Amino acid sequence: MTLTPVQQLQSLAPKTRAKIALSEGAEPRTVAATLQAVDLGLADIILVGDTGEILAELGKLGAAPSERIEIEDPKTSSLTEAVANAVFEKRKHKGMSQEGAAAKAQDPLIFAAALVHMGLADGTVGGAITATADVIRPALQVIGKAEDAELVSSFFLMLPPKDAQDGQRAMLYADCGFVVDPTAPELAAIAASAAQSADALLGETPIVAMLSFSTTGSAHHAKVDKVTEATEMLRASHPDLVVDGELQFDAAFVAETGARKAPDSPAAGRANVMIFPSLNAGNIAYKITERVGGYTAIGPILQGLAKPANDLSRGCSAEDIVQIIAVTVLQSLRSQTS
């Protein structure tokens, strides 16, 4: 049975609860998700935003701040000066002044990202009412890229329907939300990060398929060459990883087709990490898988950051936010053990 991120986190039962900063602390779905996450024991929560607005939303649900639910208002917080100093240190090489950093520290998205950078939170989540670019920018500027990551990218966690048929399984799709047209080295880096993400979120050995419109030389084109080059790079940099490419999706997903089209492939027919050659392909594929295949798509989830930060769809529900909180906690647990 495929576990949701919430179920997987509950099954792990970590000894220490993570602390997640939610940058849209007064947003109603975010407040409802906070209460659910705390009730489920997933994490302690920092609600970042205007204190009065947050208290009003908590009050509507019969709740109040507690040792599990904190409020940090950038306009009044005792941490604001430290946040401004942290932002200045991260951005002074780009010409940021102390005054500019102090102004930036008033932004809840910047403030939440700085809490993560400073080690005062284990991850951050936002985007229920904020455009993706405005959520990702603070993560890149304040938290930054992980030392072992070539670039920051994204993926969707694809969970099969409850009435899943034989062969339908949980998968990661990358990159479906961030890198538009990756080069071969970037494609290899996306795949390496996605394999790590699969290990953290699926609890399974990652089996990586580098996808194309060709399977093992059935077609010849520069777009195919990019995928085969990326596969070779990935094998060289991660020799222990189970990976193959180029593979068509059916050869990667369906056991019988994989055995026929690529009989010697270590990944054909059983891949759980699908790497798409472009954002066009990945974005279209995840939406078809969701709408036609009945899968649940959780994401886009960022990977390659020094510490976890994740985006939300502006159409998300409180339950969606709870799942992303669980994903963020699972990512933080993996970063602590890697």
Side-chain angles (χ1 to χ4, degrees):
M1 183 184 76
T2 299
L3 299 180
T4 67
V6 166
Q7 290 167 334
Q8 186 177 344
L9 181 56
Q10 290 177 318
S11 72
L12 292 175
K15 295 179 181 178
T16 304
R17 284 193 302 266
K19 185 173 287 189
I20 303 300
L22 303 184
S23 58
E24 298 163 329
E27 197 280 320
R29 291 163 295 170
T30 299
V31 175
T34 292
L35 300 183
Q36 292 180 39
V38 167
D39 186 56
L40 292 168
L42 303 180
D44 293 343
I45 301 295
I46 304 173
L47 293 171
V48 180
D50 182 274
T51 298
E53 293 176 2
I54 294 172
L55 289 173
E57 288 300 327
L58 285 170
K60 291 176 184 177
L61 298 176
S66 67
E67 64 177 12
R68 301 287 309 279
I69 302 173
E70 303 174 28
I71 296 175
E72 290 292 349
D73 186 337
K75 297 190 295 293
T76 60
S77 173
S78 61
L79 297 173
T80 301
E81 183 177 353
V83 165
N85 290 335
V87 172
F88 172 71
E89 289 300 322
K90 287 289 290 186
R91 303 298 296 168
K92 63 182 179 182
H93 70 289
K94 292 290 188 179
M96 175 73 72
S97 65
Q98 285 279 11
E99 293 77 12
K104 289 287 187 183
Q106 299 293 315
D107 183 338
L109 287 120
I110 295 283
F111 192 99
L115 292 181
V116 178
H117 170 64
M118 296 160 64
L120 300 176
D122 297 292
T124 181
V125 174
I129 53 174
T130 306
T132 292
D134 294 328
V135 174
I136 293 176
R137 190 178 303 111
L140 292 172
Q141 293 179 346
V142 180
I143 297 173
K145 184 171 66 67
E147 290 183 3
D148 62 348
E150 295 294 325
L151 80 165
V152 175
S153 58
S154 75
F155 66 91
F156 275 82
L157 180 61
M158 307 298 297
L159 301 180
K162 293 180 180 179
D163 58 349
Q165 305 299 306
D166 288 346
Q168 288 187 306
R169 55 190 176 273
M171 295 176 287
L172 262 69
Y173 280 15
D175 185 340
C176 304
F178 192 48
V179 184
V180 176
D181 188 17
T183 63
E186 289 173 338
L187 201 58
I190 290 168
S193 292
Q196 292 179 344
S197 297
D199 182 56
L201 297 179
L202 295 182
E204 301 173 0
T205 300
I207 300 173
V208 181
M210 308 294 284
L211 298 177
S212 175
F213 62 85
S214 169
T215 294
T216 61
S218 66
H220 300 281
H221 192 277
K223 297 293 187 183
V224 177
D225 294 341
K226 180 179 80 168
V227 176
T228 57
E229 183 182 353
T231 304
E232 291 167 2
M233 291 178 173
L234 185 60
R235 284 176 174 151
S237 61
H238 294 75
D240 296 331
L241 189 62
V242 180
V243 57
D244 200 15
E246 81 284 6
L247 293 171
Q248 292 164 296
F249 185 87
D250 58 349
F253 184 70
V254 181
E256 295 82 357
T257 307
R260 184 174 66 254
K261 288 188 173 184
D264 299 322
S265 171
R270 61 194 195 102
N272 55 11
V273 179
M274 303 294 190
I275 306 301
F276 294 87
S278 70
L279 186 61
N280 260 336
N283 192 272
I284 292 167
Y286 102 76
K287 290 182 178 180
I288 291 174
T289 305
E290 179 183 31
R291 300 298 180 179
V292 178
Y295 271 64
T296 297
I298 298 176
I301 301 165
L302 296 179
Q303 56 185 7
L305 291 166
K307 295 180 180 180
N310 284 309
D311 185 26
L312 295 164
S313 165
R314 278 173 281 177
C316 65
S317 65
E319 289 71 23
D320 294 331
I321 300 174
V322 173
Q323 292 291 351
I324 292 293
I325 289 171
V327 164
T328 307
V329 174
L330 289 168
Q331 288 178 311
S332 74
L333 291 175
R334 189 199 175 281
S335 67
Q336 293 167 19
T337 58
S338 60

